[in-house]
Each structure stands twice: as C-alpha cells, then as structure tokens.
Amino acid sequence: MAPLPSGSEKPMLLADAPAAPRIAVVGATGAVGGTLLELIEDRRLPYRRLHLVASARSAGRTIRVDGHDHQVAELDRFDFRSVDVAFFCAGAEVSREWVPVAVARGALVVDSTSAFRTAPGTPLVVTELAAELLDARPAGGVIAVPGAAAVPVVRVVRDVERRWGLRRIVVSTYQGASDAGHAGIEELQDGSRTVLQDPQATPVSAVFSPPLAFNVLPRIGETLEDGSTRQERELAEEIRTVLGLPGLDVTATCVRVPVVGGQGAAVWVECREAVDRGELVALLRALPGVTVHDSPGAPTPADLDDPDRVHVGRIRVAATASDGFWLWLATDNLRVGGALDAVRIVEEVLARGTL
Ligand SMILES: NC(=O)c1ccc[n+]([C@@H]2O[C@H](COP(=O)([O-])OP(=O)(O)OC[C@H]3O[C@@H](n4cnc5c(N)ncnc54)[C@H](OP(=O)(O)O)[C@@H]3O)[C@@H](O)[C@H]2O)c1
C-alpha cells in the first residue's frame, strides 16, 4: 500500500479513499478498545472501513465512531479477509487463538495483549524509541505493543542507558482497576459503594481477590514458583527486550491500588557511572512525549494534564550512591502502553507505506 500523508499535520480522514486501510478492532467494547476508537477518531487515523468485533455478548450492539453507527460483529463469525489492519485488544487467550487466523487471511495485526510480546520474530514496538522496526512489514504479520507498565519505564530509561549505562532497574507499580478492564472498574466501583453503605459488608470479589475497595493488593495475577507473578516476570522481560539488553538486571513488584484509572510507578535506576542530577533532568526534559515535574509536587494519575504523555516527578539522585536515582512515573494505562501506542504503530506503518 502506498504511504499516506504523515508528519506534524494530522492526516485527513480518508474514509472513502481507496488507499486507506480497512481496519478491525477486536475487543472494541472493552476498556482499551473504547479508548482505541476515541483515538482513531481524535487522531483522524485514516480508514476505508471500520469493523468493530467482540464476543457474542456484545454482538449486534451499536457504537458511534466518526459520526457513524457501527454494529459490533461476533468474532467467531467474523471474516478477516475484509481487513488490512487488525487491532487486537480482547485478552491474550483470544489473541493466541485468533491472531494466527487474522494473519493467515492477510491482515497485519497490532496486538496489545501479552500473547506475542516475547514471541521470536515479533517486533515489540514503542514508536518513540524504535519506529525503524516498522520499516518493513514483519514476516510473522504481528506487531506487539509492550504493556502499560513497561512503556513508561523504557521511554524514560533508554537515553539514560546511552548516557550513563544501566546496571539495574527496580520497578514498583501502583496499578488501578482499569488495568483489569471494564469488569475491574465495575467491581471497584460497586465494592466501594458497598463498603461506604455498610463498613462491615464484604464486597464482591470476582476480578480482585481479596476485594480491592479500600485495600491495596500486593500481587496482580498468577503467582509463579519463585513467588513472583507472571506480570512481574513479563514486565522485566519486556523492558529488557525493548531496550535490547537481554542481560539487564530488572526486578519488579506490581501492586493493585483502589483507583479507577491511571497508574504510578516508583523506579530505581542504577547506572554504570555517577549521574549528575541537573544533567538527568535536562535529559528527561528533552525526551519526546515526556513531561518533567521538577517541583516539590509530583504528578498523580488523577490529574494528568495530558494523558498521552509520560509524567515524571520526584527525581532523586541517591545521596549514598550517586550512580543511582529514583523516578516517579504517572501515566494513563489505557493510552500509554495501551491504545495510544497501538494507534501510533499504525500511523507509522501507513507513513512508511509498509502495510
Ligand atoms: N486495561 C489496560 O490498561 C490495558 C493496557 C494495555 C493492554 N491491555 C490488554 O488489552 C486487552 C484488553 O483489555 P481491556 O482492559 O480492554 O479488557 P476489557 O475491558 O475486559 O475488554 C475485553 C474486550 O475483549 C472482548 N472479548 C473478551 N472475550 C472475547 C472473546 N472470547 N471473543 C471476542 N471478544 C472477546 C470483550 O468483548 P465483550 O464486550 O463481548 O465481552 C471486550 O471487548 C487485555 O489483553 C489487556 O491485558 C489492557
């Protein structure tokens, strides 16, 4: 497909242009899928056809995008032959089963789940760091988006590695309910109401166990044999992969906190040389899509002035070891490392003409 207009000007909406791709969003009714549809509209991602796909639960529902009503199709009955680009955000299990089908039918898949992030031959792409990975269409037909916990970290430490070298990264995440999708959001909201009405009541605990309302859960998802969780292991692996540093010492603790949206991360970075704080702040300020809050206040997920950026605060070079420093990162998990990174990948693919 020929390259479409790119650059600082947003591309024109090309709903009827033959060069624009036919796009499917698998998981269109979910938290990430809904954000994707907003971004497709807001960023005027060009498309010729837009297919919204979900499970039988939502099939037939109507969702308005770009002023047009779109009926949700059922994945089991959907024909990927009518698609050039398929966004997948319906969970890893769905991706494992259906991404190969979509690829076999000719679609280029941009997968926001964990299913293909460490698959050999699948580019794991953060466009701000390595858009050149999109110079050619991947042989396997799949481009993976790193997770919402990994993207903010890699975006701030990649240039730190180039300047001072990296010895170790320790990440502690504070992840809200939206990270667990619509069901997580609803359970936190219902549980909070339940406890506010009756402090002795036990809220429903289907998504989060124990209940998340008025609580902090020190573990997210499946626990592995060494006591870490799969998410912590995957987060470390994604950071190594995107940075291209397979031997880097990365360790993580992922914690669930009772907020609906957004996430925070406290990140300890240990370098190979002493770090000058002034130079570090200047380096972070120069990063694209990063806002530095170098003041006593720090960014919080609830008040991000621009949810498409990574917000950095609490920059502290250690008094006892000047080769190490702390950062606090606040992001909108549905956008950064979620829908926004997926849309940017397609924008880059279209600009490069590598569809
Ligand atoms: N939430 C985040 O912050 C975030 C960030 C980055 C990546 N991700 C990843 O993105 C994926 C989706 O997350 P989410 O938060 O958007 O979840 P969600 O709100 O629960 O949405 C799930 C979506 O997948 C669809 N779906 C579920 N099972 C399906 C099936 N068997 N066949 C077809 N469609 C099916 C659902 O459709 P129905 O309406 O029909 O149920 C819904 O559209 C997950 O893999 C998650 O790890 C999430």
Side-chain angles (χ1 to χ4, degrees):
M1 208 169 253
L4 284 161
S6 72
S8 54
E9 291 286 304
K10 285 182 180 173
M12 286 173 55
L13 187 66
L14 297 174
D16 297 316
R22 298 163 298 172
I23 290 178
V25 177
V26 180
T29 53
V32 173
T35 309
L36 244 163
L37 298 180
E38 276 171 35
L39 287 167
I40 287 175
E41 190 168 324
D42 292 350
R43 296 174 70 89
R44 301 180 69 73
L45 185 74
Y47 60 83
R48 179 156 43 114
R49 292 259 187 293
L50 182 63
H51 300 277
L52 310 190
V53 187
S55 78
R57 289 180 291 273
S58 305
R61 248 184 76 184
T62 298
I63 299 179
R64 204 163 176 81
V65 186
D66 278 327
H68 296 281
D69 286 336
H70 296 264
Q71 209 170 59
V72 176
E74 183 181 342
L75 178 58
D76 288 348
R77 296 162 180 264
F78 186 69
D79 184 356
F80 283 95
R81 277 176 300 197
S82 59
V83 169
D84 302 306
V85 176
F87 290 102
F88 268 77
C89 49
E93 247 176 72
V94 171
S95 282
R96 276 190 279 272
E97 181 178 353
W98 286 95
V99 164
V101 175
V103 169
R105 300 277 193 274
L108 176 70
V109 169
V110 178
D111 188 40
S112 294
T113 79
S114 60
F116 293 91
R117 286 180 190 148
T118 50
T122 301
L124 185 63
V125 178
V126 178
T127 54
E128 290 86 350
L129 302 188
E132 68 277 6
L133 290 172
L134 305 172
D135 280 346
R137 185 179 170 120
V142 187
I143 301 164
V145 183
V151 169
V153 177
V154 294
R155 284 190 41 198
V156 297
V157 302
R158 202 274 305 267
D159 283 14
V160 169
E161 142 71 14
R162 290 181 171 173
R163 171 62 184 89
W164 291 288
L166 287 175
R167 203 188 295 282
R168 175 179 304 150
I169 300 176
V170 182
V171 187
S172 304
T173 67
Y174 302 75
Q175 299 175 226
S178 66
D179 174 69
H182 279 324
I185 296 170
E186 278 162 30
E187 189 170 300
L188 175 62
Q189 290 174 331
D190 289 349
S192 302
R193 269 190 294 271
T194 302
V195 175
L196 283 171
Q197 281 161 8
D198 176 4
Q200 306 307 320
T202 306
V204 172
S205 172
V207 178
F208 305 117
S209 177
L212 180 60
F214 300 98
N215 205 355
V216 169
L217 312 184
R219 178 181 295 127
I220 298 177
E222 184 193 349
T223 304
L224 303 175
E225 67 290 343
D226 66 353
S228 63
T229 65
R230 182 168 302 285
Q231 196 194 52
E232 288 160 354
R233 195 177 282 182
E234 286 175 354
L235 167 57
E237 203 46 48
E238 288 169 33
I239 291 172
R240 291 188 199 101
T241 305
V242 175
L243 295 176
L245 299 170
L248 182 66
D249 183 0
V250 185
T251 180
T253 302
C254 295
V255 174
R256 182 78 71 199
V257 292
V259 301
V260 169
Q263 67 174 20
V267 187
W268 166 252
V269 182
E270 227 170 282
C271 295
R272 296 192 173 276
E273 294 172 30
V275 175
D276 174 76
R277 186 181 185 283
E279 193 182 346
L280 172 63
V281 171
L283 178 148
L284 295 171
R285 281 196 201 287
L287 297 176
V290 171
T291 301
V292 172
H293 302 249
D294 191 23
S295 58
T300 69
D303 63 7
L304 302 177
D305 51 14
D306 182 345
D308 289 349
R309 298 175 72 84
V310 177
H311 295 263
V312 186
R314 306 216 56 210
I315 304 165
R316 288 159 290 154
V317 174
T320 49
S322 59
D323 56 357
F325 60 87
W326 283 103
L327 300 175
W328 166 254
L329 310 179
T331 45
D332 179 333
N333 49 291
L334 291 177
R335 299 171 87 99
V336 175
L340 179 62
D341 285 74
V343 170
R344 280 197 175 135
I345 285 171
V346 173
E347 288 171 346
E348 287 289 342
V349 166
L350 296 179
R352 286 169 158 69
T354 48
L355 185 52

